[in-house]
Structures are given as structure tokens and as C-alpha cells.
Amino acid sequence: MASTPPGRHDMLVVAFKPGHDGGIAAIRNGELLYSLESEKSSFSRYSPLTPATLTELAERLDEVPDVVAVGGWQEAGSAVRGHIGTGYRGTDEVIVRPSRFFGKEVKYFSSSHERSHIFNAIGMAPPGEHPLQAVLVWEGITGAFYLVDDLYRIVRTTEVMDQPGARYAALFAVLDPTFPDEGRYTRLSDAGKLMALAAHGHAEDADAEVVAAVDRILKVADTYPLVKRQFRDTVLHNAGPTSSVGTTAAALITERIFTTFAETAVDALPPGLPLRIAGGCGLNCDWNSAWRALDHFSDVFVPPCANDSGSAIGTAIDALTTLTGRPYIDWNVYSGLPFVRDVAPDPIRWQRRPLSDAALAQALSRGRVAAWVQGRWEIGPRALGNRSLLADARATASRDRLNEIKLREDYRPIAPCVRVEDLETAFDSTFEDPYMLYFRGVRDPRLKAVTHVDGSARVQTVSGQTNARLHRLLGAVARSSGIGALCNTSLNFNGYGFINRMSDLVAYCESRNVSDIVVGDDWFQDMQDRAGAEVTHTPAKGARQLRTCSTPTGAGPPSAGD
């Protein structure tokens, strides 16, 4: 969390992000008040900005904003492409003009989507005086480095690769027999699945045919839309994402894309600069770990909302920087909405009791799964202990049970939340990562449910400062089991954003056989207890057999969330 510099102007900025992953952010006097993504509260993943999101924010603000900021966007898929604000690309154009908003004289601000990523990465980073800092934006369309001076002007752009994120997702589409051969846009959910599959393969196992096919994906002129029939003559076409060819290609394209960007960074950027990363590729933990290990930058920062979920914040920061000269903001990752208790769970089925950390830790150790709700929801796509499903991290059955509940493919790993006190014994590195953005190697053989096939885990580190309530529960888990770790995956219907209403939560738990609900200090236990069977702590037997990727009937669209 950044600290607000002195001399901040008294100003309320409200910023809108159009297009997919729509959202709205409010910053007052340099402090992030809210960041609301329209997919949250069980709306469709990647939802555009909705009237409900606007009214939720308006209900909570006590004044009309001084600045209304609109992120640039461009509608694609038609012969005539309509621009919103300053459009999608560009680093120089900014619109500032007088306007009116619900009867108040305001400033209207707009800058490009490209700039929203740049300023999201800078403004959420720890504040500092830097003669130059480097920003990497890599996402579906943009793939470039930017040098930003001490006046926060973009003084140099180094293009690296067009459409890096889309090319990454395109490999999954080429492999997937369910993706049509005719031109279609790559699915926003597929990049996250490919990241999971890459751990099952090794780039060095790629033969000449796989290398040639991956090279063609990296060199194709345009993946918007992806014309899959162009790859019919390759070994990848409809081979299946979980095939040996598919996992090898996933590992290879992961390596190739990072190497391309890393070589450009070393050749084109001065050493010793701080690196700030934004764009959807900033959620790839393998790549983030590789940037930390590169030893070319003084430090690396990735915001928890590196993808388009942070674009409204980035546009608000851009407006602040343009109008005040300073980008840095105070922020908290739990800046969503509070939970809505619109109903009470049926007391005939759900027994209510006060939450006891010790008792819940014992229940989880016996194989129960808890829907865990605390405070305001997390910004960004990853559950960080306020809208989570929690389970025992020691049993492989926990991983399988959670993937069953989430209607996810069985090759998808489950991430752990771990007390900072347990990092040294459990993992091969001890740096804190409260936003679940990096991989690290697993040392403790007990953590079977959260150890991926390659021996890594994407860890959320938890301290008394970052999430005090979850930290207390993990302390009870440590006293019960010897290690303060739990499985932590997002609390959502498949294909939808985090659950944020008790009515949705009860329906979810009853339909998915989740036995325990915790909301604040209230613990509701399912008296039918159809999912509370104990699990057996048996040693993991290596990688499981991979099945062909499919979406269960009635599950809705696949989700890229946790």
C-alpha cells in the first residue's frame, strides 16, 4: 500500500472503464475509496460496466465528483470502429475539458486504455523519487516497455510484441477441438488455463514440429479474430490442451514469450531501474517470478489488479497525475463492497453458532469445506481471504473436491494461503506476496493439496497487517495441524464474479454441497452435511491423469478465476 504524499489537492475523481472487465473507481484526496468491478456480486465474468455498478458507488459517495474520468476504448468486430474517449492505443493524447455531471461543473478527463495500465502500475507502486522507471504493459493487444521520467511523462516506448496475451490464449484455442476453425476471438479464460498446463510440460521436449507450430502462432499477423484453420497442417491442431503435445507447446510458448521480452529489456533498458508491470500477462505467476530473477531491475512491482480490473484505477491515477503532478495513491486490496445479508440461512438446515477459530480449524482438518466471507471484497481477480473457499491444504482430496465444487478442469492447481511465520519451513523463499502473484517451490511434503505438478505453489502470504482475521484462523490451523496453511480459492459460481449476497451464498453452498458458511463471526453448519466426510492424508503419487478439457453441462461459461 502506498502512502499519500504531502500537498495532495482536495479532489474526488471517479473513473469508468468501458468494454469487458468494466468497472468504476473513486479516489478522494489520493485515497482509493472503492474499486468496483461489474462482474462481482455474481455477474458474468468480464462483464461490461453496468448501471448497477454505477448506482452502488453513487449510493456510497456523499458528493458529486470533481473529475469524471473515462478510459479510452475501441469497439472491434465491425467495419466501423467506434471510439470511446481517446481510444485504446496511444501514450500522448489526453483530453481535459469542462463538463457537467448531474448538475455540477466538473472536469472531464480521458486517456487511452494503454495509459490506464501504465499509470495503474506506477500509482499503486510504493512511492519514490525515480529519475526514470520502466513500465511493462503486456496484455491481449499491447506488448511494450515504457520509460517514465520524474515528471511522469512517457519519454520512450519500446514495442516488443503485438498481441502477446492473445497469442498465448491462441495456443489453447488451436489445441482445443471445441474451438471453431472459422474466425473467432480468443476466449478471455483460456490464458489462465494454459498457464496451469504449462507446468505439466517441458519446453526442451518440443520437437521440430511443435517448435514450428508455436513459432507460427507467435508470428501470425493478427489473432483478432483467430482463424484457426490456418493451423490445420500443424501437429497442434485439435491435439487437445491436455495432450503431451499440448502441454509441451504450452511450456514452450511460455518460455518463448518471456525470453522475447526479457532480451528486449536487457538490450533496450538501462539496468537498475524499478520495473512496474501491468496488463493481463501480469497475472502469470511464472513470468512474474522470472522478472524477479532476471537481475536487471532494482525492484519489481505488480499490482493485484494488473489486468483490466485495474484499468479504472489507472485512469483515475492518470487524471490525478495530469491535474496535480503526482500519481501515488493510498490503497487497500479490500476496496470492494461489503457483504449483503439479504436473507438468513434456513435455520432448519443451517445451524448458526459463534465462530471459533479452533473449532473451524478442526472441522477443516476433517475434510469439511468452508465458504469464508469477511469485510469488503478484494479488487482484482484473485480471492485473498475475504471471498474464499477454504479447505485443508494437506490432503490431495481437498484439491479434487474444490475443483469439483468449482466445476473446474482437474489439471487446475489450488493455491494456498499461508501465515508468514510458516514461509521458511514450507517454501524455498520467504518474501511476502499478499496478492498471490508469484510461484515458489514447496518444501513441506505435507502440503499435498496445493503443490502443483512441477513442485510449485502460488502462495498468498498472510500477516496480521495484510489480513488480520484470516491470520488468526491460520494460527489456529497451525496449532491444530502443525502448519498455518489452507487451500484458498475464489468463492464464485463458475463463470461469474465473487459472491456478495447471502441469498447467492446459501444457494451456492446448497447446490455445491459446501458444508460450512462463515460470514463475519457467524458460522453456519449444514445439518444435512452431505459433503463433510473425512479425507485421508495419503502421499501424493505424482501428476494425475489429465482429462480432455470440457465445461460441465449447465456450468455456464468457463472461468479464468481461481
Side-chain angles (χ1 to χ4, degrees), residues 213-465:
V214 166
D215 283 346
R216 281 175 59 178
I217 292 174
L218 292 175
K219 293 175 182 176
V220 68
D222 192 3
T223 64
Y224 287 112
L226 174 68
V227 184
K228 181 177 170 180
R229 66 173 180 270
Q230 297 178 67
F231 300 95
R232 282 179 180 170
D233 62 331
T234 72
V235 68
L236 302 181
H237 187 263
N238 289 343
T242 61
S243 66
S244 60
V245 167
T247 58
T248 299
L252 179 63
I253 200 170
T254 299
E255 179 183 276
R256 285 286 178 88
I257 290 176
F258 179 80
T259 299
T260 299
F261 278 84
E263 288 177 349
T264 301
V266 172
D267 291 343
L269 301 178
L273 299 182
L275 176 65
R276 283 65 179 99
I277 297 175
C281 295
L283 297 176
N284 187 308
C285 299
D286 193 9
W287 288 337
N288 289 342
S289 299
W291 285 120
R292 283 178 59 94
L294 186 62
D295 196 30
H296 185 74
F297 299 100
S298 60
D299 65 88
V300 176
F301 171 79
V302 187
C305 47
N307 66 337
D308 281 10
S309 65
S311 288
I313 299 174
T315 297
I317 292 171
D318 196 1
L320 277 175
T321 308
T322 300
L323 297 171
T324 71
R326 292 285 291 179
Y328 299 111
I329 63 169
D330 272 331
W331 60 276
N332 189 300
V333 75
Y334 306 104
S335 292
L337 291 178
F339 189 74
V340 179
R341 297 195 188 214
D342 56 338
V343 300
D346 182 356
I348 295 176
R349 176 163 182 174
W350 292 94
Q351 181 184 51
R352 179 177 178 177
R353 59 181 289 188
L355 175 61
S356 161
D357 290 331
L360 180 58
Q362 286 289 336
L364 294 172
S365 72
R366 293 193 298 271
R368 297 174 74 96
V369 174
W372 174 267
V373 173
Q374 301 291 329
R376 294 163 64 177
W377 79 51
E378 304 90 327
I379 63 176
R382 290 186 176 149
L384 300 172
N386 277 18
R387 300 292 183 273
S388 292
L389 284 171
L390 302 179
D392 186 8
R394 299 169 299 159
T396 55
S398 294
R399 175 192 60 207
D400 299 335
R401 174 76 184 112
L402 288 171
N403 277 334
E404 178 188 3
I405 291 169
K406 298 291 297 291
L407 302 176
R408 300 190 337 162
E409 300 82 3
D410 68 348
Y411 60 78
R412 305 279 293 277
I414 296 294
C417 55
V418 181
R419 290 191 313 168
V420 294
E421 294 89 338
D422 295 280
L423 290 175
E424 186 170 1
T425 57
F427 303 99
D428 63 5
S429 54
T430 60
F431 68 92
E432 293 194 28
D433 179 15
Y435 312 126
M436 220 185 257
L437 292 168
Y438 299 91
F439 285 137
R440 67 187 80 205
V442 180
R443 279 181 176 164
D444 194 320
R446 291 174 294 179
L447 298 178
K448 301 179 184 70
V450 296
T451 303
H452 201 15
V453 66
D454 62 353
S456 71
R458 186 185 71 196
V459 180
Q460 178 201 3
T461 65
V462 182
S463 69
Q465 291 70 47

Side-chain angles (χ1 to χ4, degrees), residues 480-496:
S480 171
S481 68
I483 184 167
L486 287 170
C487 296
N488 173 23
T489 189
S490 56
L491 181 59
N492 65 296
F493 290 95
N494 185 275
Y496 298 86

Side-chain angles (χ1 to χ4, degrees), residues 454-519:
D454 62 353
S456 71
R458 186 185 71 196
V459 180
Q460 178 201 3
T461 65
V462 182
S463 69
Q465 291 70 47
T466 59
N467 191 318
R469 189 66 197 83
L470 181 59
H471 187 258
R472 290 201 299 274
L473 174 62
L474 290 171
V477 171
R479 290 187 291 275
S480 171
S481 68
I483 184 167
L486 287 170
C487 296
N488 173 23
T489 189
S490 56
L491 181 59
N492 65 296
F493 290 95
N494 185 275
Y496 298 86
F498 296 165
I499 291 170
N500 203 53
R501 290 179 177 274
M502 184 68 87
S503 55
D504 289 337
L505 180 56
V506 172
Y508 179 83
C509 291
E510 291 182 354
S511 66
R512 304 308 305 153
N513 296 339
V514 175
S515 55
D516 296 80
I517 296 172
V518 176
V519 179

